[in-house]
Amino acid sequence: RWWCSPKKKANSAMMPVIPAVRCTARWITGFVGLVLALVLAVGPASAGPQADLVLVVKSEKRLYLLQNGDVVASFRVAFGKNPKGHKEQQGDERTPEGRYILDYKNPHSSYYKSIHISYPDAEDRARARKKGVHPGGDIMIHGQKNGYERWEMFAQWVNWTNGCIALKNDEMDIVWEAVKVGTPIEIRP
C-alpha cells in the first residue's frame, strides 16, 4: 500500500480497518480528481459525425452525411411511392430533387423525429404556378411512423412515404445529432 501509509500504526485497541478506510477514501478522492482533470483537459467525447452537407442519391436509395467533402456516414432510405423524377405538385408522392436547406427540427413529429427540407423554393413555386398546380410541401427527413417501429426493417426496402426521406429510428438519431439547422441538403436523381 505505497499510496496510503497511515501516519500512525494501529494499536491493539484500534481496529486495523480504520486506517484502511482512510487510505481507501484518500485513494478514491485522488483517483476521481485525476479523472476529472483528464476530462477537463481533453474535453467531452464527440457524440458522432458532424455534417456540413447532406447528400441524398435517389437511384442508390442512400443518404450520405458529408464533412469537408468526405462521407462520414451513409444510410439506406425510403422515399415517396413514386420516386422517379422531381416533385412537381402536391400529392404526386415524389421526393424533390435539387439543393435545399434543412431549416428546422421537430422532435414531436408524427414520425420519429423530423427535419424539414425547405422545399418548395421560389423556382419550384414558379414551376407549379405555371402548371396551375400546388407545389406541395412538408417534405422531411424522418424516422418511422410512431407506433410502427417494429416494421422498420421491412419498411426500408420499399418506398412508402408521400415524398419524404425515411430512415430507421436509430439512424435518424445519428442524423439528428449530426445535422444542425441551416445545413444544406442536395437531392440527386
Side-chain angles (χ1 to χ4, degrees), residues 147-178:
Y148 291 85
E149 297 84 1
R150 67 178 168 259
W151 301 107
E152 73 180 359
M153 289 296 280
F154 305 107
Q156 290 311 102
W157 292 95
V158 296
N159 290 317
W160 58 270
T161 75
N162 289 324
C164 294
I165 301 166
L167 296 142
K168 293 191 311 184
N169 290 354
D170 61 336
E171 296 170 343
M172 185 61 201
D173 285 331
I174 296 167
V175 172
W176 183 269
E177 292 300 320

Side-chain angles (χ1 to χ4, degrees), residues 53-66:
L53 174 67
V54 175
L55 173 63
V56 176
V57 182
K58 290 167 60 174
S59 61
E60 296 175 10
K61 294 189 76 155
R62 304 294 298 174
L63 179 147
Y64 300 95
L65 298 177
L66 282 83

Side-chain angles (χ1 to χ4, degrees), residues 85-181:
H86 178 61
K87 183 165 191 64
E88 295 180 9
Q89 67 183 50
Q90 185 171 336
D92 67 6
E93 296 184 332
R94 288 186 177 157
T95 302
E97 296 170 356
R99 195 165 175 100
Y100 300 95
I101 299 295
L102 298 172
D103 55 4
Y104 69 84
K105 293 181 173 186
N106 181 1
H108 306 292
S109 168
S110 298
Y111 296 84
Y112 181 76
K113 296 180 181 173
S114 64
I115 305 173
H116 186 259
I117 299 171
S118 64
Y119 174 87
D121 61 15
E123 193 176 303
D124 296 315
R125 286 189 294 275
R127 188 180 310 113
R129 190 171 32 256
K130 191 174 183 179
K131 290 182 176 185
V133 296
H134 188 285
D138 287 333
I139 303 297
M140 311 274 185
I141 299 173
H142 60 67
Q144 301 299 298
K145 176 113 175 112
N146 293 332
Y148 291 85
E149 297 84 1
R150 67 178 168 259
W151 301 107
E152 73 180 359
M153 289 296 280
F154 305 107
Q156 290 311 102
W157 292 95
V158 296
N159 290 317
W160 58 270
T161 75
N162 289 324
C164 294
I165 301 166
L167 296 142
K168 293 191 311 184
N169 290 354
D170 61 336
E171 296 170 343
M172 185 61 201
D173 285 331
I174 296 167
V175 172
W176 183 269
E177 292 300 320
V179 172
K180 293 181 177 150
V181 170

